[in-house]
């Protein structure tokens, strides 16, 4: 057109730049602008992110508070974007375990904070390339990513390790352009959520991996019904994240770290603790003290287990081999006769040769060479050569052998026997400080009545602002606090666990004031420990000082000696759960009538829909006609039945053709431990229902049969061989409990406290703990039979009561009463298995309970009409506080 092309191009460039400068900038990736989390344009966000239904999280909190691992997972999802402003390192949260154990439920719930979980939502398949994952992380910048089924990635352990280190270093990856210039991948600072049947820490048991992967073992949710509800809720209520000021999140993280720190040795343990603290802080911001307490409980369990595993990894193979030999001698003393007895058996032609693995002659133990591998393998040692070499190099040498060989030949009754000659003990080695650490830490020193989280330091946030704007926290004044409800203690005054399937979260600390006073710091008493019992005394002191912070070393030592005497000389080494297991093996070694425990159970049990809790609320109950509500609970419910419960030996047998038309025939079958599956719905209790397809343990089946109606599927499982495996254990603990409870002195009360913690941890969760119990006592079927008998004994007692209970929760039953009315047929006694009055209050008073971190006013009638077990529990707890605090005054 007569114009120079360069002039036209220059003019067009000026126009484009001017128009671009006048347009608002488009956010390419989420970022923090001060206290505001700024998200990208919805069209630029990955699928699902930013989608919202307008729902709030309040309905989820009661379920999450009752399921600590779910609370921790949701808290980690909330805390993920704060990694960059808090200057933390990104990490993975891997949910692992068998199929149908709630892994997907946990992942979808965490993802729902950020948008639509699936289908075609926030959750991505692991079937992706490294480049694809790098690009996805770069788009998210500071937001979490959610990947399902690690197995689908098809990566080897070494490839997984490489990917972990690549992603947690900020997604940094140097690339080259076509012109040979450097090009960095987009950075990412968040949490990568993953699921998979295989354990990452099992494949990669190195400390540096543990510092970068928070691994949560399923089950995430305690029941299949709850899991279905949570998953359905997450798919219908998403996009609920609202940011809070960074200073608020930092305060929550600081408090969580202080509560988790304990005896952290620094390094890897410090990093693991910091990662878990982010989840506890996130839970606190979302749901206040109840959700924080639940997440804190789960975090303590995970931290304790990883600490123990890290310490165990640091123990030499030689020390572990020595411990394997010690434990074998304790568990199977008949397999190691004295040398005199062994030679006598070899000499006597008419005397049957005993099955031996070696023999002893002070101070030596001689292990037959062909038996050592099996002994070591039972304790996780696959290569005995390394352990034998360590024994030989110890000072003094613990393996007495030839210069070039580990084994040696000795003569016994004129025969040559190949053995490993081991000096098992040296002077002073029997003191507990020399015992290698154990990997089992299921008891995390959660004390009944303990409240760790202080909501006054970090108040729950009224999260109502858009996702791109922070919420200014409204810190309530002390004078404006109202009476709060409780989510219910997981352990009652007898140390019982609220559900049989797990050890449960600690009690939420809002029983009368929404603000809980912080506990006074525990004194360090390790320097005062008796030299010969230092480690045992230190562990025991931790339990006592949580309950009696002002206890003196002399009082604690007296309590320890009282505990040992009451339990027949049991050493309280390790956690409460470990003490319970040690007592089991100690009694097994002492009583010749108790055979050696063999591996067994029911493969696939955790995939079966087993009914373990029979809570109910009668929505037709007329609350307004009665002036009082009373809650009564069972003393030491699990301990009461463990002496009489029949438990399976070995593995279960599948049986077919089951049909019970005759009560005598049914009772004869149900005297054996086992399971049946219901073919139709069955009523249980006053208002409970067991749905068709549910599996029930035999004690529950016997209870239903006694009431004249039991229709089951033709196939079930049974242990024809069984015995009362816990009879001696239960007798010892029950006797200790009764003796100590009758004494008023302080050392006896302290020792009783330790006994209660021991049976609560061992019976309540350790028997079925996939994460902590790796021994032969890991028997979920034992736990089910025990829980089933305890629950139906409670129902049998309630069937005799007038008036009948209108609601039950765990081991608590609730009654509506008039003035001066009592419950007929209810035996009130301190004896295990009998009842005590736990709660009482006026039905005509309003109550305050906590929901979504906020106090709400409600009544007992409203919660009964809604059929809410948790609501009834919380309202009665608050009414009890009013009655004891107000009426008494």
């Amino acid at each position: 057109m007569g114009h120079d092309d360069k002039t036209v191009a220059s003019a067009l460039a000026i126009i484009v730049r001017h128009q671009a400068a006048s347009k608002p900038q488009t956010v390419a990736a989420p970022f923090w602008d001060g206290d505001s989390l700024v998200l990208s344009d919805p069209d630029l966000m990955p699928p699902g992110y930013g989608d919202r239904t307008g729902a709030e999280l309040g309905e989820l909190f009661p379920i999450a508070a009752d399921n600590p691992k779910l609370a921790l997972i949701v808290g980690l999802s909330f805390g993920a974007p704060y990694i960059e402003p808090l200057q933390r390192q990104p990490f993975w949260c891997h949910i692992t375990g068998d199929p149908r154990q709630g892994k997907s439920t946990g992942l979808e719930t965490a993802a729902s904070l950020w948008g639509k979980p699936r289908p075609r939502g926030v959750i991505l398949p692991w079937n992706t390339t490294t480049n694809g994952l790098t690009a996805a992380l770069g788009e998210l910048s500071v937001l979490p990513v959610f990947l399902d089924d690690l197995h689908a990635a098809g990566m080897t352990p070494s490839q997984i390790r490489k990917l972990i280190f690549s992603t947690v270093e900020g997604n940094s990856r140097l690339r080259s352009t076509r012109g040979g210039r450097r090009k960095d991948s987009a950075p990412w600072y968040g949490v990568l959520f993953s699921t998979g049947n295989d354990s990452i820490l099992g494949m990669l048991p190195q400390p540096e991996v543990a510092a970068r992967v928070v691994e949560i073992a399923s089950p995430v949710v305690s029941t299949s019904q709850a899991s279905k509800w949570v998953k359905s809720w997450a798919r219908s209520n998403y996009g609920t994240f609202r940011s809070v000021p960074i200073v608020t999140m930092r305060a929550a993280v600081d408090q969580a770290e202080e509560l988790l720190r304990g005896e952290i040795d620094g390094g890897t343990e410090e990093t693991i603790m910091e990662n878990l603290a982010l989840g506890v802080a996130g839970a606190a911001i979302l749901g206040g003290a109840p959700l924080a307490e639940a997440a804190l409980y789960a975090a303590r369990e995970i931290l304790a287990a990883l600490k123990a595993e890290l310490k165990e990894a640091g123990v030499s193979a030689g020390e572990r081999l020595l411990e394997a030999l010690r434990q074998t001698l304790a568990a199977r003393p008949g397999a190691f006769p004295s040398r005199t007895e062994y030679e006598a058996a070899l000499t006597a032609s008419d005397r049957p040769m005993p099955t031996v693995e070696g023999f002893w002659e002070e101070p030596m133990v001689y292990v037959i060479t062909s038996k050592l591998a099996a002994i070591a393998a039972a304790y996780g040692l696959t290569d005995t050569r390394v352990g034998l070499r360590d024994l030989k190099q110890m000072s003094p040498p613990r393996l007495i052998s030839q210069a070039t060989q580990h084994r040696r030949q000795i003569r016994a009754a004129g025969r040559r026997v190949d053995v490993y000659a081991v000096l098992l003990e040296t002077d002073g080695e029997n003191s507990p400080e020399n015992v290698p650490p154990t990997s089992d830490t299921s008891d995390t020193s959660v004390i009944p009545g303990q409240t760790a989280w202080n909501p006054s330091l970090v108040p729950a946030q009224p999260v109502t602002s858009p996702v791109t704007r922070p919420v200014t926290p409204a810190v309530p004044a002390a004078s404006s606090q109202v009476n709060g409800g409780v989510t219910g203690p997981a352990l009652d005054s007898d140390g019982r666990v609220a559900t049989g399937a797990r050890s449960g979260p600690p009690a939420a600390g809002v029983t009368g004031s929404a603000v809980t006073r912080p506990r006074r710091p525990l004194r360090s008493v390790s320097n005062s420990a008796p030299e010969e019992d230092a480690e045992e005394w230190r562990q025991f002191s931790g339990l006592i000082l949580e309950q009696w912070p002002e206890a003196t070393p002399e009082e604690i030592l007296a309590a320890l000696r009282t505990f040992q005497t009451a339990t027949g000389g049991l050493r309280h080494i390790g956690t409460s759960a470990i003490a319970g297991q040690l007592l089991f093996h100690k009694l097994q070694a002492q009583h010749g009538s108790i055979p050696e425990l063999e591996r067994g159970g029911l493969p696939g049990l955790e995939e079966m829909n087993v009914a373990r809790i029979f809570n109910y609320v009668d929505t037709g109950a007329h609350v307004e006609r009665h002036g009082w509500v009373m809650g009564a609970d069972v003393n030491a419910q699990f301990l009461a039945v463990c002496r009489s419960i029949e438990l399976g030996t070995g593995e279960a047998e599948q049986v077919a053709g089951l049909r019970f038309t005759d009560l005598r025939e049914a009772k004869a079958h149900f005297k054996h431990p086992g399971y049946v599956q219901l073919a139709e719905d069955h009523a249980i209790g006053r208002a409970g229902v067991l749905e068709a397809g549910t599996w029930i343990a035999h004690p529950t089946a016997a209870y239903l049969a006694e009431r004249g109606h039991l229709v089951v599927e033709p196939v079930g499982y049974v242990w024809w061989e069984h015995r009362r495996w816990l009879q001696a254990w239960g007798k010892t603990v029950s006797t200790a409990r009764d003796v100590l409870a009758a004494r008023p002195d302080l050392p006896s009360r302290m020792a009783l406290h330790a006994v209660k913690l021991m049976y609560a941890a061992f019976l309540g969760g350790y028997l079925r703990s996939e994460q902590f119990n790796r021994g032969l006592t890991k028997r979920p079927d034992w736990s089910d039979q025990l829980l089933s008998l305890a629950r139906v004994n409670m129902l049998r007692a309630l069937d005799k009561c007038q008036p009948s209970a209108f609601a039950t929760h765990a081991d608590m039953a609730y009654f509506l009463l008039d003035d001066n009315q009592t419950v007929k047929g209810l035996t009130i006694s301190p004896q295990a298995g009998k009842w005590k009055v736990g709660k009482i209050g006026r039905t005509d008073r309003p109550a305050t309970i906590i929901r979504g971190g906020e106090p709400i006013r409600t009544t007992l009638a409203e919660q009964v009409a809604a059929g809410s077990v948790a609501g009834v529990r919380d309202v009665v707890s608050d009414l009890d506080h009013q009655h004891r605090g107000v009426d008494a005054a």
Side-chain angles (χ1 to χ4, degrees), residues 786-864:
L786 185 78
L787 175 63
S788 174
L789 181 58
R791 294 293 190 243
V792 298
N793 281 355
M794 172 181 169
L795 292 176
R796 286 189 178 99
L798 294 179
D799 289 343
K800 303 173 184 177
C801 293
Q802 275 299 326
S804 57
F806 74 94
T808 62
H809 176 265
D811 56 357
M812 179 82 77
Y814 299 93
F815 302 87
L816 292 171
L817 303 174
D818 298 323
D819 290 343
N820 301 318
Q821 184 182 10
T822 59
V823 180
K824 296 180 180 179
L826 195 69
T827 304
I828 305 298
S829 167
Q831 182 182 347
K834 303 303 182 182
W835 296 80
K836 68 172 180 286
V837 177
K839 310 286 183 182
I840 191 166
R842 297 285 308 182
T843 60
D844 55 356
R845 287 178 173 167
T848 302
I849 63 177
I850 302 298
R851 288 295 180 267
E854 295 292 328
I856 64 170
R857 299 288 279 179
T858 185
T859 65
L860 180 61
E862 290 175 353
Q863 296 302 317
V864 170

Side-chain angles (χ1 to χ4, degrees), residues 684-703:
I684 187 167
R686 175 170 165 178
V689 176
L690 297 174
E691 297 179 350
T694 300
W695 288 88
I696 56 175
H698 278 182
T700 305
Y703 173 80

Side-chain angles (χ1 to χ4, degrees), residues 697-713:
H698 278 182
T700 305
Y703 173 80
L704 295 176
E706 291 167 6
R707 273 131 193 85
H709 182 69
L710 178 64
V711 183
V712 301
E713 298 292 351

Side-chain angles (χ1 to χ4, degrees), residues 221-565:
V221 182
S222 58
T223 66
S224 60
Q225 293 89 341
S227 180
K228 291 177 182 177
W229 185 91
V230 171
K231 186 177 291 186
S232 174
W233 182 92
R235 293 181 179 180
S236 305
N237 301 270
Y238 47 81
T240 54
F241 176 83
R242 307 291 184 273
S243 63
V244 296
I246 295 171
V247 65
T248 300
M249 189 64 182
R250 181 174 286 111
V253 169
D254 288 345
Q255 185 180 174
E257 289 183 357
E258 187 65 26
L259 294 170
L260 285 172
R261 190 169 303 279
E263 296 181 3
I264 296 296
D265 292 335
T268 300
E269 293 181 10
E270 183 84 14
T271 304
I272 295 171
M273 181 273 294
E274 291 174 350
N275 293 342
L276 292 168
L278 187 72
V280 176
I285 297 296
L286 284 172
L291 207 62
E293 288 286 347
L296 183 64
Y297 184 89
R300 280 173 167 160
E301 278 196 326
I302 294 169
L303 181 60
L306 287 174
K307 282 175 59 180
E309 290 175 0
L310 290 171
K311 289 180 181 177
E312 184 174 356
V315 176
S316 72
E319 291 170 327
R320 295 175 64 189
L321 186 57
L322 279 177
E323 183 62 17
L325 290 174
R326 292 190 188 100
Q327 296 295 334
T328 302
L329 263 67
R332 299 193 295 274
F336 284 84
S338 69
R339 182 166 182 167
T340 302
E341 293 170 334
Y342 178 65
E343 290 181 339
L346 290 176
T347 303
S349 58
D350 60 341
R351 186 172 178 180
M353 180 68 181
T355 301
V356 300
E357 299 172 47
F359 51 90
W360 58 268
E361 184 178 38
E362 291 288 357
M364 303 298 298
V365 172
Y366 299 92
V367 185
I368 297 174
T369 54
S370 61
K371 302 294 185 179
L372 184 63
I375 292 173
Y379 291 87
L381 288 169
T382 57
D383 189 348
T384 59
R385 293 174 299 176
V386 178
L388 291 170
R389 186 167 58 243
D390 286 351
L391 293 180
K392 202 170 184 177
Q393 295 173 352
M394 286 182 178
S395 180
R398 307 301 288 274
L399 181 67
I400 312 302
S401 64
Q402 300 174 8
T404 58
Q405 292 183 335
H406 295 320
R407 67 179 63 190
R408 60 181 296 188
Q409 285 189 340
I410 65 172
R411 284 189 174 275
R415 304 185 188 185
R416 292 184 178 274
V417 183
D418 281 355
V419 296
Y420 296 112
V422 179
L423 180 61
L424 197 60
E425 308 290 354
T426 61
D427 291 341
E429 188 170 48
N430 283 317
S431 59
E433 60 266 28
N434 292 310
V435 177
T438 174
S439 61
D440 191 300
T441 51
S442 63
D443 176 74
T444 51
S445 300
V446 177
I447 310 300
Q450 173 184 350
T451 302
W453 190 263
N454 187 347
S456 67
L457 299 180
V458 185
Q461 303 300 313
V463 283
T464 56
S465 65
V467 69
T468 54
R469 288 291 176 265
V471 177
T472 302
V475 182
S479 59
S480 67
Q481 300 301 332
V482 296
N483 292 332
V486 296
T487 60
L491 303 178
D492 67 10
S493 61
D494 274 308
R496 292 189 306 281
V497 185
T499 67
R502 58 178 174 82
S503 44
V510 280
T511 57
S513 173
V515 176
T516 305
R517 293 184 179 90
R519 294 181 61 84
R520 112 182 35 173
L522 300 181
R523 294 179 293 107
S524 174
V525 295
S526 58
N527 293 333
S528 304
E531 185 175 349
E532 71 277 9
D533 296 316
E535 181 62 16
E536 180 184 15
W537 193 80
R538 186 186 64 80
Q539 294 274 2
F540 191 82
S541 297
L543 301 179
I544 300 303
L545 288 172
E546 286 283 357
Q547 191 75 358
W548 289 273
E550 297 296 331
T552 66
E554 293 76 13
E555 291 169 339
I556 297 173
L557 181 59
L560 176 58
R561 298 295 184 239
T562 303
F563 172 89
Q564 293 170 342
T565 301

